[in-house]
Amino acid sequence: MKRPLIVGNWKMFKTIPEAINLINIIKAGIHKIADCDIVVCPPFTALAALSEAIRDTKIELGAQDMHFETEGAFTGAISPLMLKDVGCRYVILGHSERRQHFKETDELINKKMMAALKYNLVGILCIGETLEEREARRAFEVVKQQFDQSLKNLSAEEIERVVIAYEPVWAIGTGRTATPEQTEQMHSYIRRLLNEHYGDSIGERVYILYGGSVKPDNIAQLMGKPNVDGALVGGASIKAESFIQIVTNALPQELQDSPKR
Ligand code: PEP
């Protein structure tokens, strides 16, 4: 089993004081947990403050999106260079809310992914089908298409710096989680795609997270599946207690209160 990776996507929530307050409670709540990697992705405006607040902790910083250019006349956009500058190590790309509300395509997401990797950011690629696509039995086809196009032209060395988040659109923010069986089925399919494209030894090392209404009471069952390496958490990541509990419950019982390494 890999060391679990839990990523909090704070979406468009939290002013700077609210973000600092939230991270301080999370810091206190997770300081005894040694065996889990934790990333928080606040809105752009809170990145600098959080970068400072998490200094000397095991929590890492991520952004929720970025432009693919380094700089230029792109009013309102943020570049990979700027994310590095503010202390980000991760960036979420292709979230379904970006695909839906901002009309992001796989081609654009691929450009962003290449740019993220060029600047040594870990790209968290979100892929997943809508309810309509699942009901039409097209879930695997849709996920394969997103996988192929968003990761086009990535080398084996680069894919190791990508995290894949399977996020069925029908489970995001709906309270309806994919069952552990549905999750494992899709994760093992994604793992197979990785192994086919990049070879087993590389494919096995890539992290595959599940996202979609993850809560303290369903994370353990999801993590119990062999191809679930962690979670991308939205709504439950902006409530300190539930995020702390998710991080705790993501670990096997014997590691939940292990001493700090
Ligand atoms: C998300 O925003 O990536 C997400 C999974 O949201 P939620 O946990 O609220 O479903």
Side-chain angles (χ1 to χ4, degrees):
M1 181 188 167
K2 297 191 188 77
R3 194 179 154 86
L5 170 62
I6 305 293
V7 181
N9 171 16
W10 293 10
K11 311 198 188 202
M12 197 173 71
F13 292 98
K14 305 297 173 189
T15 60
I16 296 171
E18 287 168 350
I20 291 175
N21 185 45
L22 175 58
I23 203 69
N24 283 341
I25 306 173
I26 292 173
K27 266 162 51 176
I30 55 105
H31 84 280
K32 278 195 185 158
I33 299 171
D35 295 289
C36 185
D37 291 326
I38 302 163
V39 180
V40 292
C41 304
F44 289 131
T45 47
L47 284 172
L50 282 212
S51 181
E52 194 53 42
I54 61 175
R55 193 184 294 272
D56 302 326
T57 74
K58 63 198 287 302
I59 303 172
E60 302 220 57
L61 194 61
Q64 298 173 21
D65 181 42
M66 60 167 217
H67 198 281
F68 57 84
E69 291 286 359
T70 308
E71 59 180 14
F74 299 102
T75 302
I78 301 284
S79 83
L81 180 67
M82 291 164 184
L83 296 186
K84 284 298 281 190
D85 189 37
V86 77
C88 287
R89 188 170 163 225
Y90 290 80
V91 59
I92 298 173
L93 297 174
H95 191 282
S96 64
E97 287 155 12
R98 303 270 339 153
R99 294 175 189 261
Q100 186 190 344
H101 303 302
F102 300 91
K103 306 290 171 241
E104 292 202 4
T105 60
D106 289 321
E107 192 187 354
L108 175 65
I109 295 158
N110 180 243
K111 283 187 180 173
K112 293 184 177 196
M113 183 58 81
M114 299 300 276
L117 296 170
K118 181 172 159 198
Y119 281 94
N120 260 324
L121 288 158
V122 176
I124 303 175
L125 171 70
C126 301
I127 53 181
E129 79 287 356
T130 62
L131 186 57
E132 204 183 5
E133 289 162 343
R134 177 158 281 264
E135 285 176 349
R137 300 183 178 277
R138 293 187 51 233
F140 292 89
E141 175 200 331
V142 168
V143 163
K144 180 175 185 332
Q145 180 174 323
Q146 292 173 340
F147 176 99
D148 286 343
Q149 296 185 4
S150 311
L151 299 175
K152 201 166 147 193
N153 295 330
L154 257 67
S155 68
E157 182 274 320
E158 286 169 329
I159 196 72
E160 291 206 61
R161 293 186 284 124
V162 170
V163 169
I164 297 179
Y166 168 55
E167 297 212 306
V169 180
W170 47 271
I172 297 179
T174 58
R176 186 177 164 190
T177 321
T179 64
E181 291 67 34
Q182 285 171 322
T183 305
E184 175 59 18
Q185 218 182 15
M186 188 59 85
H187 282 219
S188 60
Y189 177 64
I190 295 170
R191 183 83 63 206
R192 206 166 74 223
L193 294 176
L194 284 164
N195 291 346
E196 277 168 18
H197 278 71
Y198 303 100
D200 291 5
S201 64
I202 289 170
E204 293 299 325
R205 287 204 291 273
V206 175
Y207 270 72
I208 308 177
L209 311 183
Y210 167 77
S213 298
V214 170
K215 300 272 180 322
D217 62 4
N218 59 28
I219 183 73
Q221 276 179 303
L222 290 160
M223 291 300 301
K225 294 293 176 190
N227 283 292
V228 180
D229 302 318
L232 177 52
V233 186
S237 74
I238 54 172
K239 293 180 208 98
E241 268 322 303
S242 60
F243 190 63
I244 294 164
Q245 211 52 59
I246 286 170
V247 171
T248 307
N249 296 354
L251 290 165
Q253 196 73 37
E254 65 276 14
L255 293 178
Q256 288 190 4
D257 212 13
S258 57
K260 201 172 176 185
R261 280 205 296 230

